[in-house]
Amino acid sequence: MSEIQIELEILRYDPEKDQEPHFETYPVTCQDDWMVLDAINYIKDHVDTTISYRWSCHMAVCGSCGVMIDGEPKLACKAPVRDYANKTARVEPLANFPIERDLVVVMDDFMDKLKRVKPYLIRKEEKPLEEGEYKQSPAELKKYKQFTLCINCLCCYAACPQYALIPEFIGPAALTMAHRYNQDSRDQGLAERQDEVAKPEGAWDCSFAGECSEVCPKHVDPAGALQQLKIATTVEWYKGLIGMGGK
Amino acid sequence: MAYVRPVSKTRWYRAKRSYTVHMLQELTSLFVGIFALILLWGIGSIAAGPAAYQAFLDGLTSPLMLLWMWITTIVMFYHAIAWFSVTPKAMPVQRGEEFVPGSIIAGAHYVVWIALSLLVLLLAGVF
C-alpha cells in the first residue's frame, strides 16, 4: 500500500481563549485508502491531542462527522484523502451553524426544528396491540423510502444558501422528515404538521437552489422533497378552502 | 461562547459557481415580469381605443423592442429548460412499485409546451 502526503488546514476555535477562529496546518502522511477522518484521527492521536471533532461509526451511517472540506459539506469518513493528494485541504466546521469548538458545531437550532415537524407516526386513534401491526404494501413503502435514508448529518443545511440568509427557515432535513411521514400510509398527522410546514419559514422559504441534494451523502434528495411539500401544502390549502381538510 | 460566522447578505451568491447559476435562473423571472407588464400595456391600449392600440403595435416593432424581445425569448428558453429539467424531482409519478423515469416527466412538459405554443400561434393566425 502506498502513501499519500496531504496537508490539512484545520479551523481551530477555543471559546475560552479565542476571540475568533484561526487555521492551523498539519502535514499528514496517509495510507492511500484513508479517508479525511482517518487523517484527522491521526493528528488527534499523534500530533495535537487538543483538536475537537465529532465522529462515531466511520461508515457514513451515524452522520456525526460532517465538515466543510475545501468549502463543500462532506462526511469526513466518506472523503478519500487521495482526492487531496499533495494538496492542502481546508477543513472547517459545517457552515451556517455556530462553532462550539474547533470542528464541533452547535446543533440546537436543527434539533428544535426537527422536533417541531413531529417526525414520527401520528395516529388519530391507536388501535389495540392485539389487532396487530399497521400493514403497508411494498409500493406504499417505496413512496417515501428514499427520505428515510437521512442520517441528520446536516450537510444539507451547510450547503443551503437560504438557511444561511434566513436562519428561521426550517430547512432541508427537517422538512424532508415531515414529508417522509406525510407520505407514509400508516400516518395520519399531516394536518398537525401543516402549521409548521406550510408557513413561510417552512417549505416556502426554499428557493430550490438544489444544493442540499447535490451534497447529500445518502442521496435523499431533500430538494425534491421540499418541492413536493410545496405542491402538497398548496393542495391542502385548497382542500381547506372547500371544507375538505386533509388526513 | 459559540462563534457565529458572518454571512454576506449581498455577496453570498459569488461564493460558489452553483449559487451564481441559481441566482441567474432566479433573475430570469424579471424578464417574465417585464414581459407580463408589456402584455398588460397592450391590453390597456386596446381599452384605450384604436389609436392607442396602433401606438402599442408600433412600439412593439421598434428595433430596440425587437432586440429586447429576442433577449427575452432566449432568457425564457433558459428559464423553461432549467425548470423542466427539475420537474421529475417536484412531481414524481409512481406506478406500482416503480417511479416513472424522469425523462418521461420532463419530456411530457416539453410536449405540452410545444403543443400550447402551436395553439397560440394558430389562434394568432400565423398558420
Side-chain angles (χ1 to χ4, degrees), chain A residues 5-240:
Chain A
Q5 291 295 326
I6 67 164
E7 212 170 53
L8 290 187
E9 213 172 56
I10 298 180
L11 188 133
R12 304 298 308 270
Y13 175 67
D14 181 343
E16 284 157 16
K17 290 186 200 151
D18 301 331
Q19 287 295 311
E20 54 183 41
H22 62 278
F23 285 97
E24 279 179 32
T25 306
Y26 304 92
V28 189
T29 304
C30 309
Q31 303 294 326
D32 66 358
D33 61 348
W34 277 13
M35 300 292 149
V36 169
L37 178 60
D38 297 305
I40 301 173
N41 280 342
Y42 179 88
I43 296 168
K44 173 89 174 171
D45 290 344
H46 301 282
V47 185
D48 186 341
T49 57
T50 65
I51 291 185
S52 295
Y53 56 104
R54 288 193 178 110
W55 77 285
S56 179
C57 75
H58 201 301
M59 50 196 275
V61 170
C62 75
S64 308
C65 67
V67 286
M68 308 297 290
I69 304 177
D70 282 348
E72 287 288 325
K74 287 182 178 179
L75 294 179
C77 72
K78 220 183 161 198
V81 290
R82 75 179 84 91
D83 291 352
Y84 309 96
N86 304 315
K87 288 184 205 156
T88 302
R90 181 168 269 205
V91 183
E92 298 167 80
L94 284 176
N96 304 334
F97 290 97
I99 304 171
E100 183 94 61
R101 189 187 191 98
D102 298 338
L103 299 176
V104 178
V105 294
V106 182
M107 298 166 63
D108 299 1
D109 183 51
F110 169 70
M111 300 311 282
D112 171 58
K113 285 168 176 168
L114 186 61
K115 204 161 77 180
R116 273 162 47 199
V117 301
K118 303 188 178 178
Y120 40 81
L121 287 181
I122 297 172
R123 300 288 302 181
K124 285 179 180 151
E125 205 174 324
E126 290 286 348
K127 64 179 183 182
L129 271 181
E130 52 271 24
E131 282 184 30
E133 66 273 24
Y134 296 108
K135 289 188 175 155
Q136 190 163 62
S137 71
E140 287 169 331
L141 171 67
K142 187 76 181 270
K143 194 174 179 189
Y144 67 87
K145 191 171 181 213
Q146 182 186 12
F147 307 130
T148 68
L149 302 177
C150 174
I151 55 173
N152 296 334
C153 65
L154 307 188
C155 284
C156 54
Y157 282 79
C160 176
Q162 287 295 93
Y163 182 60
L165 296 168
I166 310 165
E168 296 79 23
F169 177 34
I170 295 175
L175 286 166
T176 300
M177 277 302 106
H179 188 54
R180 172 251 177 274
Y181 283 96
N182 284 347
Q183 295 285 83
D184 193 318
S185 59
R186 299 164 298 177
D187 182 79
Q188 297 172 326
L190 186 141
E192 283 189 41
R193 290 184 200 100
Q194 188 76 345
D195 284 347
E196 284 296 329
V197 166
K199 64 185 181 184
E201 55 268 40
W204 297 101
D205 258 348
C206 165
S207 67
F208 204 179
E211 286 295 303
C212 50
S213 296
E214 290 297 318
V215 303
C216 178
K218 304 301 281 186
H219 310 294
V220 170
D221 192 12
L226 266 68
Q227 308 328 302
Q228 292 164 34
L229 259 186
K230 286 179 190 171
I231 296 173
T233 53
T234 308
V235 170
E236 282 306 307
W237 187 82
Y238 277 111
K239 275 188 184 171

Side-chain angles (χ1 to χ4, degrees), chain B residues 89-119:
Chain B
K89 280 175 181 281
M91 298 173 236
V93 179
Q94 192 181 5
R95 301 198 68 164
E97 283 182 41
E98 297 307 316
F99 283 97
V100 172
S103 55
I104 292 179
I105 295 170
H109 279 82
Y110 281 100
V111 170
V112 172
W113 185 26
I114 291 165
L116 284 178
S117 299
L118 288 175
L119 181 68

